[in-house]
């Protein structure tokens, strides 16, 4: 699941394989100075600029026909400050490298998404999140940012310094400048006990408020065409460490969750009529288990089966109704959906265009195996999500535009006004930003 770029013919392709671009040129700056020079040169040449992470977004948010700035030489830890409990990292650092480096220092982020392949700046620019009752997205853990703006100058921001930039740039969609470094809050390394357990769909919905309230991190997967879910709750633990055994881990996380799952997806794609039967089997394949480990080993797992995804944040209070509608839609539609639906939560945060901005949120993610038509399913799901004033993940498939966002984000105008100030000539514009933010 490494960077997805194809060197062939100078084209760039995302991980999901559904977005492709042909930049005029690609650069990999090794310092902030080199990056600022690349931004100035692009402006002189009349070219747009876009930084890219590892291409794990399913939208065209990172695509450009101008200058593509690659992350690979701008990586590593700059400083760890134990008095303020922060770490400052170069913008192109992959999350997996950050997590491993922090663990070696006895430190950790508070929360993570499902994987850690992405770069810190790519992940936070679209609001990448995991699940949490009190702890929010990766962006919500940012304490400071350094970015190169459209005039080639370096701007730093935090709660105290340029607070209006800090409010927006933590989930900046790549629209405000090129991030060169991020400072995250860290805490002493801790242990999480994970409890994974199958549970009937109706029971999860009936007990959702309680499951959410009783666990620091609660999430579940529902298997369409079945009444089955797999739930996962992670809570801080005093130990002792009890990692998943090597063999059991390989069997559940590699063989079943990736190997067998991949074969099931191939069969389902070739013969869609088999999907409901396969879903019945897949939803029962994983048994209950409990393990205790350091945070990133509990939060993340390898995802090798390629898919395309749409995910919306709805108000947490609307989750149960949203899911009932989604299930009813799948049942009456004749659609064949071979990928589970993932459900997570986040507390309200104070980031201008975070999907959880000012609102306690629940996330519902629908997926389709790569190469399977997803349009009909996603269109029907999106109709349900938008009826609940859902906010789409900025990096996952959706069809919303600036007019819609102005309605569901009370602070939308604040973001676009800041963009007018920082990037009046729209150096960082691409087709995606034109659609979601306006010209
Ligand atoms: C298998 C898989 C699992 C995923 N799991 C989750 C999950 O659990 N939770 C979740 O919320 N999302 C998840 N995602 C979505 C993913 O985290 C986001 O799309 C994320 O933005 C991808 O990061 P990236 O490094 O690949 O960035 P890219 O997709 O390459 O870029 C994303 C955006 O960041 C901008 N950007 C990159 N670098 C910079 C920079 N230096 N300065 C300014 N802007 C920059 C780009 O221009 C673009 O706008 C998943 C995606 C996949 C494929």
């Amino acid at each position: 699941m490494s960077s997805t770029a194809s060197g062939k013919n100078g084209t760039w392709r995302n991980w999901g394989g559904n977005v492709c671009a042909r930049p005029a040129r690609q650069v990999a700056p090794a310092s902030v100075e080199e990056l600022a020079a690349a931004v100035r040169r692009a402006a002189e040449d009349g070219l747009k600029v876009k930084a890219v992470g590892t291409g794990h977004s399913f939208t065209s948010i990172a695509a450009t026909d101008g200058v593509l700035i690659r992350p690979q030489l701008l990586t590593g830890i700059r400083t760890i400050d134990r008095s303020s409990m922060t770490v400052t990292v170069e913008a192109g650092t992959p999350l997996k490298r950050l997590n491993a480096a922090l663990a070696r220092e006895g430190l950790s982020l508070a929360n993570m998404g499902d994987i850690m392949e992405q770069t810190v700046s790519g992940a936070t620019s679209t609001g990448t999140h995991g699940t949490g009752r009190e702890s929010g997205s990766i962006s919500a853990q940012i304490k400071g940012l350094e970015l190169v703006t459209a005039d080639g100058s370096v701007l730093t921001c935090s709660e105290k310094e340029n607070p209006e930039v800090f409010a927006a740039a933590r989930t900046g969609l790549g629209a405000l400048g090129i991030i060169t470094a991020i400072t995250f809050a860290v805490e002493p390394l801790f242990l999480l006990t994970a409890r994974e357990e199958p549970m009937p769909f109706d029971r999860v919905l009936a007990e959702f408020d309680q499951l959410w309230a009783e666990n620091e991190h609660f999430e579940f997967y529902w298997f369409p065409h079945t009444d089955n879910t797999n739930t996962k709750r992670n809570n801080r633990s005093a130990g002792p460490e009890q990692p998943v055994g090597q063999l059991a881990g390989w069997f559940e996380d590699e063989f079943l969750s990736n190997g067998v799952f991949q074969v099931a997806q191939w069969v389902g794609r070739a013969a869609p009529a088999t999907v409901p039967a396969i879903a019945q089997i897949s939803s029962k394949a994983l048994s209950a288990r409990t393990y205790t480990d350091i945070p990133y080993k509990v939060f993340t797992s390898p995802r090798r089966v390629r898919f395309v995804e749409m995910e919306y944040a709805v108000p947490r209070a609307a989750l149960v109704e949203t899911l009932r509608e989604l299930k009813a839609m799948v049942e009456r539609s004749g659609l064949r959906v071979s990928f589970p639906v993932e459900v997570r939560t986040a507390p309200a945060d104070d980031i201008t265009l975070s999907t959880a901005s000012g609102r306690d949120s629940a996330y519902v993610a629908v997926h389709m195996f790569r190469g399977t038509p997803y349009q009909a399913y996603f269109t029907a799901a999106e109709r349900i999500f938008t009826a609940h004033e859902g906010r789409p993940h900025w990096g996952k498939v959706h069809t919303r535009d600036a007019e819609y966002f102005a309605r569901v984000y009370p602070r939308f105008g604040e973001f676009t006004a800041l963009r007018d100030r920082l990037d009046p000539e729209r150096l960082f514009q691409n087709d995606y930003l034109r659609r979601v933010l306006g010209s």
Side-chain angles (χ1 to χ4, degrees), residues 82 85 100-108 187-190:
R82 286 178 191 272
M85 286 302 274
L102 287 177
R104 277 196 302 274
E105 297 288 334
L107 299 168
S108 176
E187 42 184 303
L189 193 62
F190 56 94

Side-chain angles (χ1 to χ4, degrees), residues 291-310:
Y291 51 95
T292 302
D293 212 331
I294 59 172
Y296 77 83
K297 295 190 179 173
V298 172
F299 288 131
T300 68
S301 53
R303 298 282 155 102
R304 301 192 206 290
V305 181
R306 302 257 167 164
F307 55 84
V308 179
E309 180 177 355
M310 165 184 279

Side-chain angles (χ1 to χ4, degrees), residues 1 4 12-20 54-63 114-115 118 126 128 303 305-311 339 342 344 365-370 374 378 393-398 432 435:
M1 225 161 37
T4 46
W12 171 88
R13 194 176 284 280
N14 70 337
W15 181 92
N18 63 325
V19 180
C20 161
T54 52
H56 276 64
S57 296
F58 300 94
T59 56
S60 54
I61 190 165
D114 288 341
I115 60 161
Q118 315 93 313
T126 65
T128 296
R303 298 282 155 102
V305 181
R306 302 257 167 164
F307 55 84
V308 179
E309 180 177 355
M310 165 184 279
E311 183 181 53
F339 241 88
E342 186 178 19
R344 295 177 281 183
V366 295
H367 313 72
M368 271 297 206
F369 183 42
R370 182 169 163 174
Y374 59 82
F378 284 13
H393 190 301
W394 297 106
K396 301 185 184 177
V397 175
H398 70 87
Y432 179 83
R435 168 158 72 91

Side-chain angles (χ1 to χ4, degrees), residues 47-306:
L47 292 169
K48 302 289 184 198
V49 182
K50 197 98 306 241
V52 73
T54 52
H56 276 64
S57 296
F58 300 94
T59 56
S60 54
I61 190 165
T64 186
D65 56 6
V67 176
L68 189 72
I69 298 188
R70 292 203 162 270
Q72 59 267 28
L73 300 183
L74 215 56
T75 62
I77 308 254
R78 270 196 198 171
T79 50
I80 291 177
D81 183 339
R82 286 178 191 272
S83 59
S84 61
M85 286 302 274
T86 56
V87 59
T88 300
V89 277
E90 304 289 348
T93 310
L95 283 166
K96 59 185 171 193
R97 187 164 161 199
L98 171 61
N99 283 329
L102 287 177
R104 277 196 302 274
E105 297 288 334
L107 299 168
S108 176
L109 296 176
N111 203 352
M112 276 291 298
D114 288 341
I115 60 161
M116 49 179 182
E117 299 299 313
Q118 315 93 313
T119 60
V120 292
S121 50
T124 54
S125 291
T126 65
T128 296
H129 62 91
T131 192
R133 187 183 56 201
E134 284 94 19
S135 67
S137 67
I138 305 179
S139 303
Q141 299 169 60
I142 294 179
K143 290 289 175 191
L145 279 166
E146 177 188 273
L147 54 163
V148 169
T149 53
D151 61 5
S153 64
V154 177
L155 176 70
T156 51
C157 66
S158 66
E159 234 166 55
K160 295 217 171 78
E161 188 186 12
N162 298 308
E164 74 295 352
V165 179
F166 183 65
R170 282 174 287 165
T171 297
L173 322 184
L176 304 175
I178 308 296
I179 301 166
T180 46
I182 304 184
T183 300
F184 290 102
V186 292
E187 42 184 303
L189 193 62
F190 56 94
L191 291 173
L192 283 172
T193 293
R195 169 75 186 158
E196 295 174 5
E197 191 181 318
M199 205 179 272
F201 181 82
D202 284 337
R203 188 177 147 207
V204 180
L205 292 204
E207 294 176 14
F208 176 73
D209 287 340
Q210 192 187 342
L211 288 163
W212 171 83
E214 286 176 354
N215 294 288
E216 288 168 87
H217 307 271
F218 177 71
E219 66 187 340
F220 65 96
Y221 290 90
W222 164 59
F223 293 77
H225 313 293
T226 78
D227 293 319
N228 307 328
T229 76
N230 280 338
T231 62
K232 183 174 182 187
R233 31 192 132 171
N234 304 326
N235 288 289
R236 289 190 190 219
S237 149
E241 225 168 304
Q242 254 177 343
V244 177
Q246 231 173 355
L247 188 61
W250 173 83
F251 184 71
E252 298 248 325
D253 302 323
E254 280 297 344
F255 183 69
L256 289 181
S257 300
N258 283 296
V260 175
F261 189 57
Q262 170 85 62
V263 173
Q265 296 299 322
W266 277 328
V267 174
R269 189 170 66 189
T274 63
V275 165
I278 293 174
Q280 287 292 349
I281 298 165
S282 317
S283 65
K284 291 184 186 137
L286 296 174
S287 41
R289 62 176 179 172
T290 304
Y291 51 95
T292 302
D293 212 331
I294 59 172
Y296 77 83
K297 295 190 179 173
V298 172
F299 288 131
T300 68
S301 53
R303 298 282 155 102
R304 301 192 206 290
V305 181
R306 302 257 167 164

Side-chain angles (χ1 to χ4, degrees), residues 312-315 359 385-392 400 404-405 408:
Y312 267 73
V314 295
R359 180 165 104 174
F385 300 148
T386 54
H388 292 285
E389 301 198 331
R391 297 167 175 170
R400 300 297 89 191
Y404 179 83
F405 290 120
V408 297

Side-chain angles (χ1 to χ4, degrees), residues 11 82 85 113 129 132 164 200 216 279 284 289 299 304 316 318 328 330 332 343 351 356 383 409 414 418 436:
T11 53
R82 286 178 191 272
M85 286 302 274
H129 62 91
E164 74 295 352
E216 288 168 87
K284 291 184 186 137
R289 62 176 179 172
F299 288 131
R304 301 192 206 290
R316 204 179 67 237
V330 171
R332 64 166 188 266
V343 181
I351 305 170
R383 205 169 295 135
Y409 282 102
E414 201 183 301
L418 180 68
V436 302

